[in-house]
Amino acid sequence: SEQVLLVTCHPILKGVQMLRPLTKLLQDVTLRNITAAEVEKLYPNIVIWNDEMIRLLPETSEIELKSGRRVHFQQCCLAMGAAPVLIGNGQRNIIGLRDDVSVAHFQSAWEASSSIMVVGNGGIALELMSAWVRELKAAEKESSSSSSSSPSQRVRRKEKCIYWVIR
């Protein structure tokens, strides 16, 4: 079979764990994290380089990588993904959601904060707002019906403010 070179800047890839048909045209896909070594073991014709493409040279059928390597290709598929527009450029209190790691970091920041500002109007922002509304309603219901929570827990939950800025 044909040799395939996959160039990725991420050490962890997404692999399909389960594919379940829901309707004639719709399927439920469950993804899992998979390493390059696992992919290469499963598919011997695939070679994975941890690098980044910086230039496409269609006139010579080559790509140039950040490492300085040039790769000649017969066919090229660019799967660049969506790049989030991040604001704040690495400031401590500004977190851009891009992957599992940034989401985990964000979750710990959410637990420790008394206010959150969401900037954006995409699917992630909408999902976050919906989840927080459900969480806050559940917390209010729990604190009003349960006398076991301390007054400081009740105040902390009620004082959490969420701001949503649509760009």
Side-chain angles (χ1 to χ4, degrees), residues 58-72:
E59 61 280 350
T60 59
S61 298
E62 292 179 317
I63 60 170
E64 186 177 337
L65 304 176
K66 196 172 189 175
S67 64
R69 292 194 246 191
R70 279 192 175 196
V71 180
H72 180 77

Side-chain angles (χ1 to χ4, degrees), residues 10-11 39 65-67 77 92-94 112 120 136 150 154-155:
H10 299 288
V39 172
L65 304 176
K66 196 172 189 175
S67 64
C77 173
R92 188 177 66 83
N93 291 340
I94 299 175
L136 291 173
S150 71
R154 285 194 299 269
V155 169

Side-chain angles (χ1 to χ4, degrees), residues 139-140 142-159:
E140 284 178 5
E142 178 186 309
S143 69
S144 66
S145 65
S146 170
S147 58
S148 64
S149 61
S150 71
S152 64
Q153 285 176 322
R154 285 194 299 269
V155 169
R156 173 102 172 107
R157 285 183 179 147
K158 287 182 182 175
E159 286 182 357

Side-chain angles (χ1 to χ4, degrees), residues 6 9 13 20 41-42 62 78 89-90 94 97 105 108-109 111 115-116 141 143 151 155 165 167:
L6 174 63
C9 59
L13 306 168
R20 184 175 56 111
K41 187 176 179 182
L42 285 169
E62 292 179 317
L78 298 176
N89 243 354
I94 299 175
L97 297 178
H105 175 61
S108 64
E111 294 297 323
S115 65
I116 294 285
K141 185 177 180 181
S143 69
V155 169
V165 178
R167 290 178 56 173

Side-chain angles (χ1 to χ4, degrees), residues 38-156:
E38 289 175 280
V39 172
E40 289 174 335
K41 187 176 179 182
L42 285 169
Y43 305 99
N45 64 317
I46 297 178
V47 176
I48 299 175
W49 289 354
N50 191 261
D51 208 334
E52 187 176 336
M53 184 188 83
I54 58 171
R55 187 173 298 123
L56 174 64
L57 305 162
E59 61 280 350
T60 59
S61 298
E62 292 179 317
I63 60 170
E64 186 177 337
L65 304 176
K66 196 172 189 175
S67 64
R69 292 194 246 191
R70 279 192 175 196
V71 180
H72 180 77
F73 61 84
Q74 290 176 347
Q75 295 179 350
C76 181
C77 173
L78 298 176
M80 313 269 290
V85 177
L86 301 177
I87 59 174
N89 243 354
Q91 292 181 15
R92 188 177 66 83
N93 291 340
I94 299 175
I95 302 167
L97 297 178
R98 301 172 305 282
D99 51 26
D100 297 348
V101 174
S102 62
V103 169
H105 175 61
F106 179 77
Q107 285 173 330
S108 64
W110 163 252
E111 294 297 323
S113 69
S114 61
S115 65
I116 294 285
M117 178 178 288
V118 177
V119 179
N121 64 344
I124 293 173
L126 205 55
E127 190 64 34
L128 284 173
M129 296 305 292
S130 298
W132 291 336
V133 167
R134 286 190 304 272
E135 179 184 318
L136 291 173
K137 282 183 178 179
E140 284 178 5
K141 185 177 180 181
E142 178 186 309
S143 69
S144 66
S145 65
S146 170
S147 58
S148 64
S149 61
S150 71
S152 64
Q153 285 176 322
R154 285 194 299 269
V155 169
R156 173 102 172 107

